[in-house]
């Protein structure tokens, strides 16, 4: 059905005009790629082409004679109407709407996004129009895709936290992101079109030029390099740069993409860390790691070119005393002062390091003879000759030096330090302020010593150490009044090892503290098992030997107090045996410890009396409860008369000072008689019994109370 609005006859006439003319509508409009309709002044579609029918899903018959509004979505109908009417009033213009959200309503109710054009068709004074639509979906899709690409680019470039820059093939900036502007301190405008020289550290301009040459010549694909920038405020930045060329399909460079990283702080931090990792924080000297590195280099040089070198290990003598008497702050200052003095005598080819604590290492190179190494040792020791003035105190500090001289034949560098350490041990043994040069016999001795300490440690852990007790007898009554606790090591292979040997070894390590604590615990526990005995109901005391190291241990008194508390032993039943030598090492400290012991009610016996300093004035000051006269007076090897006189003097002195005198090592009745005549109070020796296990000590006590 054909519906015609308006002057039907007139319209028919126009249509037939065209039909009859040489230019047929059909031919013209069917040739167009766009959907096209001829509309009369009322909007009635007078003609539609096949493309329009196809696009909208209608047949031509469905459309011809119907108003075009049927193809306009409801929301656009008013607009369409107005637009067509306005167009009709100025029929000479051609209107094209593209890029707008215009659509036609298809037969199935879907909408088709289109560009839209109206062209006037003035025929015999009537304002008809040709309306054409073009499906723009493909273009729209392409635009959306393009927008997405742009969005992605913005996120990847503009919003990237890494500074990024694009440059043309002459390295002039074509784009920079915010992070880049921030890094160099320039605004975007200041950078566009310029090359990187404006923010490159002058000396590093060549780096950029070189990388440009390499990528442009095809020598490199991507270049990663580090260069310095100059921030607008003058700061120097260290920047890591990755330059990648963007290429077209044929591989031709189009432009460059720079992705960068400011590594200024990272670099500074790592420099600081590597300094810290290689230097001692207190003295600023090289540390062990750096020293070992230099030693390895020196070793390689000696292996290659021959020659002689030496490692010297220095250890400060009794440095602990400085810390103890002046405090750690002064101790630290002294270490710094010593480091400076050593530095002053360090030759430029040599190296000095703080090895830890109060130990220093010195590497001497280019020596012509072993004597040169001894000269170096003397020079280092000489640097300490003058006292140090710290915090108002004048402090004298000496050191001992172990010297290891080596040449290309010495294999391992780690062994060199160990050998210097062995020599140092020997130097210490010779006395303070000395040096010793390493010899291979020292190493054998050292290895033996080391092996024995290991065995001792192992035996201690597996319970092969035991305390034995030797009775102490009152000479006038023959009553047992106490026992001396003596340590026994049952070596799995060598049998009983004498304590003189292993105690001295343990003294050189912290093991002595563990052994001492063990001895204390065992002895105090044993003593608490000794019941009062005899008519006088004597509760025997125990005397426990305390080593030098242990005596200087600040935890000693606390440890003892804990032990007697736990065992429930009356404090006056414990006596510490301290040798004269140990007690007189540091009188001030000894007096402090003795005062603490005194307050707890624990007594002290001065052991091996007569073999050390035997200073009478100190004896009075120390005021020990017991003086143990050394065995050498009781069993003299020669000059019996003289030793008798000395023994008499000691006993008299002790009695006068109100101290108990005990004679050690009494083996014969004759020796006992002599001591009785001198009115010596107590005795100890094989005449009565050697040291025995506690079970035997208990039997001994029972038998004594039975008689
Ligand atoms: P010391 O403190 O002078 O111990 C006395 C030594 O003389 C002991 O040797 C003892 O067995 C021995 N002795 C006792 N009576 C006689 C005798 O009539 N004739 C002879 N010839 N010797 C006698 P021991 O047990 O071999 O101890 C040697 C040293 O080892 C001790 O000398 C002491 O300095 C040290 N020592 C032993 N046990 C310990 C301990 O638990 N701690 C510490 N720090 N040192 C210990
Ligand atoms: Ca003793
Ligand atoms: Ca002794």
């Amino acid at each position: 059905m054909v519906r015609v609005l308006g002057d039907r006859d007139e319209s028919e006439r126009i249509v037939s005009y065209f039909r009859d003319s040489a230019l047929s509508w059909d031919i013209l409009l069917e040739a167009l790629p766009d959907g096209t309709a001829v509309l009369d002044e009322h909007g009635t579609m007078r003609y539609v082409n096949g493309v329009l029918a196809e696009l909208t899903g209608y047949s031509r018959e469905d459309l011809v004679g119907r108003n075009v509004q049927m193809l306009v979505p409801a929301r656009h109908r008013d607009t369409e109407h107005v637009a067509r009417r306005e167009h009709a009033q100025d029929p000479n213009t051609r209107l094209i709407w593209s890029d707008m959200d215009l659509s036609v309503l298809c037969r199935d109710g879907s909408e088709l996004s289109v560009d839209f054009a109206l062209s006037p068709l003035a025929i015999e004074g009537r304002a008809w129009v040709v309306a054409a639509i073009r499906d723009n979906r493909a273009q729209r899709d392409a635009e959306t895709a393009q927008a997405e690409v742009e969005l992605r680019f913005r996120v990847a470039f503009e919003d990237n936290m890494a500074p990024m820059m694009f440059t043309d093939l002459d390295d002039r900036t074509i784009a920079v992101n915010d992070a880049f502007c921030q890094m160099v301190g320039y605004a975007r405008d200041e950078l566009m079109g310029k090359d990187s020289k404006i923010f490159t550290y002058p000396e590093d301009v060549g780096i950029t030029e070189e990388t440009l040459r390499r990528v442009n010549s095809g020598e490199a694909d991507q270049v990663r390099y580090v260069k310095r920038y100059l921030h607008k405020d003058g700061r120097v930045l260290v920047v890591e740069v990755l330059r990648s060329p963007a290429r077209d399909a044929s591989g031709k460079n189009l432009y460059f993409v720079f992705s960068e990283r400011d590594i200024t702080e990272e670099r500074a931090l790592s420099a600081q860390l590597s300094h810290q990792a290689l230097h001692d924080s207190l003295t600023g000297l090289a540390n062990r790691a750096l020293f070992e590195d230099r030693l390895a280099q020196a070793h390689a040089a000696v292996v290659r070119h021959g020659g002689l070198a030496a490692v010297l290990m220095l250890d400060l003598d009794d440095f602990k005393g400085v810390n103890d008497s002046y405090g750690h702050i002064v101790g630290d200052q002294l270490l710094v002062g010593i480091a400076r003095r050593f530095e002053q005598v360090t030759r430029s080819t040599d190296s000095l390091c703080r090895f830890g604590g109060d130990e220093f290492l010195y590497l001497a190179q280019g020596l012509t003879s072993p004597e040169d190494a001894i000269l170096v040792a003397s020079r280092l020791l000489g640097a300490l000759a003058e006292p140090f003035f710290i915090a108002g105190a004048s402090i004298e500090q000496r050191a001992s030096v172990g010297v290891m001289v080596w040449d290309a034949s010495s294999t391992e560098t780690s062994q060199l330090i160990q050998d210097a350490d062995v020599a140092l041990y020997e130097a210490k043994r010779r006395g303070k302020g000395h040096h010793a040069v390493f010899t291979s016999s020292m190493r054998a001795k050292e290895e033996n010593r080391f092996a024995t300490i290991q065995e001792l440690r192992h035996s201690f852990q597996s319970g092969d150490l035991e305390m034995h007790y030797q009775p102490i007898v009152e000479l006038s009554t023959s009553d047992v009044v106490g026992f001396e606790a003596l340590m026994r090591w049952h070596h799995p292979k060598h049998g009983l090892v004498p304590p003189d040997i292993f105690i001295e070894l343990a003294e050189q390590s912290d093991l002595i503290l563990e052994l001492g604590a063990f001895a204390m615990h065992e002895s105090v526990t044993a003593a608490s098992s000794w019941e009062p005995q005899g008519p006088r109901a004597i509760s025997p005391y125990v005397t426990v030997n305390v080593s030098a190291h242990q005596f200087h241990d600040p935890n000693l008194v606390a440890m003892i107090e804990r032990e007697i508390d736990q065992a429930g032993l009356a404090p006056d039943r414990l006596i510490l045996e301290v040798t004269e030598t140990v007690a007189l090492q540091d009188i001030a400290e000894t007096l402090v410890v003795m005062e603490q012991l005194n307050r707890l009610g624990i007594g002290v016996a001065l052991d091996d009396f007569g073999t050390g300093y035997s200073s009478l004035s100190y004896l009075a000051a120390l005021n020990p409860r017991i003086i143990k006269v050394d065995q050498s007076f009781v069993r003299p090897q020669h000059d019996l008369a003289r030793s008798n006189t000395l023994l008499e003097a000691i006993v008299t002195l002790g009695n006068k000072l109100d101290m108990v005198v005990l004679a050690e090592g009494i083996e014969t009745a004759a020796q006992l008689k002599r001591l009785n005549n001198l009115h010596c109070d107590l005795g100890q020796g094989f005449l009565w019994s050697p040291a025995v296990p506690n079970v035997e000590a208990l039997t001994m006590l029972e038998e004594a109370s039975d008689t």
Side-chain angles (χ1 to χ4, degrees):
M1 190 187 76
V2 177
R3 274 192 292 155
V4 181
L5 303 170
D7 185 338
R8 189 192 156 100
D9 293 345
E10 187 67 3
S11 298
E12 287 303 323
R13 213 171 53 75
I14 293 170
V15 170
S16 60
Y17 164 82
F18 263 93
R19 191 171 292 147
D20 297 342
S21 75
L23 206 61
S24 161
W25 278 18
D26 297 58
I27 294 165
L28 198 67
L29 297 181
E30 288 306 325
L32 295 177
D34 302 336
T36 309
V38 175
L39 313 178
D40 66 14
E41 57 268 66
H42 306 293
T44 306
M45 293 179 271
R46 288 298 171 188
Y47 184 86
V48 298
N49 70 356
V51 179
L52 183 64
E54 206 178 297
L55 284 176
T56 56
Y58 290 101
S59 68
R60 286 194 208 198
E61 291 71 35
D62 291 340
L63 298 172
V64 172
R66 306 269 310 271
N67 195 283
V68 73
Q69 291 246 323
M70 71 177 282
L71 294 177
V72 179
R75 64 181 187 283
H76 292 325
R77 277 180 195 154
D78 287 348
T79 321
E80 191 273 339
H81 190 72
V82 170
R84 206 155 23 82
R85 217 181 40 215
E86 281 175 2
H87 180 252
Q89 280 160 14
D90 188 7
N92 294 319
T93 54
R94 185 163 188 266
L95 295 181
I96 299 175
W97 290 271
S98 64
D99 272 349
M100 287 174 68
D101 179 26
L102 288 178
S103 20
V104 295
L105 190 58
C106 300
R107 186 180 184 189
D108 62 5
S110 66
E111 291 187 12
L112 184 67
S113 169
V114 291
D115 291 341
F116 184 57
L118 284 180
S119 305
L121 185 66
I123 297 170
E124 296 180 344
R126 297 182 60 179
W128 284 23
V129 289
V130 179
I133 58 170
R134 178 178 295 170
D135 176 1
N136 67 7
R137 193 168 31 200
Q139 193 193 338
R140 282 273 164 129
D141 286 354
E143 280 167 7
T144 316
Q146 176 66 21
E148 259 169 38
V149 167
E150 273 165 22
L151 182 72
R152 257 185 249 142
F153 174 77
R154 211 176 41 244
V155 172
F157 179 73
E158 298 291 355
D159 302 342
N160 201 321
M161 273 166 50
M164 292 181 79
M165 169 175 69
F166 285 21
T167 64
D168 63 18
L169 297 181
D170 295 324
D171 248 359
R172 273 187 300 266
T173 306
I174 49 182
V176 285
N177 67 0
D178 286 348
F180 195 97
C181 294
Q182 243 167 41
M183 177 174 73
V184 294
Y186 288 90
R188 198 175 301 252
D189 299 347
E190 296 175 289
L191 297 174
M192 296 303 270
K194 308 279 174 41
D195 79 16
S196 62
K197 275 199 194 84
I198 64 166
F199 51 78
T200 296
Y201 189 76
E203 279 172 33
D204 289 357
V205 168
I207 298 179
T208 320
E209 286 166 357
E210 169 63 11
T211 63
L212 178 65
R213 190 194 61 73
R214 289 180 61 200
V215 277
N216 267 346
S217 68
E219 189 182 313
D221 230 17
Q222 251 192 353
V223 208
R224 188 185 290 275
Y225 53 98
V226 172
K227 65 182 261 198
R228 284 167 297 176
Y229 281 177
L230 211 47
H231 189 275
K232 200 179 179 187
D233 69 11
R235 267 183 302 132
V236 177
L237 309 175
V238 183
V239 182
E240 185 184 36
V241 181
L242 177 68
R243 177 202 279 264
S244 326
R247 300 205 167 110
D248 66 10
S250 71
K252 200 173 114 243
N253 287 350
L254 297 175
Y255 54 91
F256 296 111
V257 182
F258 291 81
S259 173
E260 319 208 337
R261 203 156 67 89
D262 180 354
I263 55 171
T264 315
E265 278 178 21
E266 222 170 272
R267 278 283 167 104
L269 189 69
S270 75
Q272 195 187 338
L273 285 180
S274 66
H275 188 270
Q276 275 173 12
L278 296 175
H279 291 83
D280 164 48
S281 58
L282 176 67
T283 62
L285 293 184
N287 68 8
R288 182 185 185 141
L290 182 55
F291 185 86
E292 281 173 356
D293 193 52
R294 289 180 183 162
L295 183 58
Q297 285 174 22
H299 187 258
V302 166
V303 167
R304 216 173 311 124
H305 309 297
L308 216 54
V311 172
L312 292 87
M313 186 178 277
L314 295 103
D315 184 282
L316 305 181
D317 296 330
D318 305 320
F319 179 71
K320 191 181 166 291
V322 174
N323 273 335
D324 290 350
S325 17
Y326 299 100
H328 283 272
I329 295 172
V330 170
D332 282 358
Q333 281 177 303
L334 180 60
L335 282 171
V336 173
I338 290 167
R340 295 291 88 83
R341 294 254 188 109
F342 284 163
E343 262 176 345
Q344 280 166 16
V345 297
T346 301
R347 289 189 313 187
S348 60
T349 47
D350 295 353
S351 298
L352 173 68
C353 103
R354 179 164 175 226
F355 196 54
D358 59 348
E359 286 185 331
F360 296 84
L361 276 174
Y362 188 99
L363 168 64
Q365 289 182 266
L367 306 180
T368 48
S369 73
E371 284 69 43
D372 284 356
I374 296 169
L375 287 180
V376 175
S378 316
R379 208 168 64 220
L380 288 163
L381 293 183
L384 304 183
E386 296 292 316
F388 291 85
F389 295 98
I390 297 169
S394 164
I395 304 174
E396 300 221 11
Q397 179 64 60
R398 289 194 301 172
S400 304
V401 190
V403 183
M404 171 62 195
V405 183
W406 49 278
D407 58 18
S409 66
S410 35
T411 44
E412 277 187 59
T413 51
S414 60
Q415 188 64 47
L416 299 175
I417 297 179
Q418 275 178 32
D419 290 346
D421 194 13
V422 169
L424 172 65
Y425 178 73
E426 181 61 28
K428 290 258 176 197
R429 235 181 41 84
R430 290 180 190 170
K432 313 280 156 77
H434 283 68
H435 74 262
V437 180
F438 176 82
T439 61
S440 46
S441 69
M442 278 182 200
R443 188 186 297 157
K445 222 160 86 185
E446 167 68 19
E447 277 165 4
N448 189 28
R449 189 173 72 97
F450 184 73
T452 313
I453 289 193
Q454 289 301 97
E455 279 178 352
L456 177 60
R457 195 180 294 276
H458 191 255
S459 290
F460 172 55
Q461 277 153 6
S462 40
D464 290 338
L465 294 182
E466 200 186 332
M467 298 308 292
H468 282 194
Y469 304 92
Q470 183 178 36
I472 295 170
V473 178
E474 193 173 60
L475 298 186
S476 55
T477 60
S478 292
D479 284 338
V480 172
V481 292
F483 290 88
E484 175 175 11
L486 294 160
M487 197 174 287
R488 295 291 175 257
W489 177 14
H490 300 279
H491 190 283
K493 277 203 296 268
H494 310 314
L496 218 56
V497 182
D500 302 282
I501 291 176
F502 71 80
I503 291 290
E504 198 208 313
L505 280 181
E507 268 282 79
Q508 289 142 27
S509 74
D510 274 349
L511 185 57
I512 190 67
L513 296 183
E514 294 179 56
L515 296 189
F518 165 78
M520 189 60 64
H521 176 78
E522 291 292 303
S523 309
V524 163
T525 311
S528 66
S529 70
W530 302 332
E531 299 288 338
Q533 45 107 9
R536 289 153 65 205
I538 300 167
S539 299
Y541 51 77
V542 68
T543 72
V544 181
N545 292 285
V546 173
S547 78
H549 201 116
Q550 219 187 337
F551 192 71
H552 296 298
D553 175 19
N555 300 318
L556 176 74
V557 177
M559 182 270 281
I560 294 173
E561 195 176 1
R562 206 169 49 238
E563 289 294 348
I564 56 175
D565 265 9
Q566 263 172 25
L569 186 74
D572 63 358
R573 293 185 58 205
L574 172 64
I575 292 172
L576 302 192
E577 292 200 12
V578 182
T579 65
E580 205 188 355
T581 318
V582 169
L584 294 185
Q585 255 170 21
D586 181 344
I587 282 284
E589 184 182 353
T590 303
L591 287 175
V592 171
V593 177
M594 298 220 5
E595 169 56 30
Q596 289 173 332
L597 293 171
N598 214 8
R599 221 178 299 141
L600 289 177
I602 295 165
V604 168
L606 209 53
D607 204 357
D608 299 350
F609 190 80
T611 60
Y613 303 88
S614 303
S615 161
L616 297 184
S617 53
Y618 285 143
L619 183 64
L622 292 175
N623 193 23
R625 194 176 296 175
I626 298 175
I627 304 174
K628 294 190 83 169
V629 186
D630 193 69
Q631 315 198 0
S632 56
F633 295 96
V634 178
R635 301 193 314 274
Q637 304 297 316
H638 40 76
D639 210 347
L640 193 116
R642 188 166 177 271
S643 96
N644 223 6
T645 312
L646 283 174
L647 193 58
E648 193 179 345
I650 295 171
V651 173
T652 312
L653 178 73
N655 288 342
K656 285 254 152 62
L657 289 173
D658 235 6
M659 296 163 195
V660 175
V661 181
L662 185 157
E664 292 188 283
I666 304 173
E667 292 183 356
T668 63
Q671 289 157 0
L672 171 63
K673 186 156 177 269
R674 184 159 66 99
L675 288 158
N676 254 332
N677 290 340
L678 293 173
H679 302 292
C680 181
D681 307 291
L682 306 174
Q684 193 184 337
F686 296 168
L687 177 63
W688 294 279
S689 165
V692 293
N694 190 35
V695 273
E696 287 177 41
L698 284 168
T699 320
M700 206 181 288
L701 288 174
E702 274 166 27
E703 282 168 2
S705 45
D706 291 347
T707 52

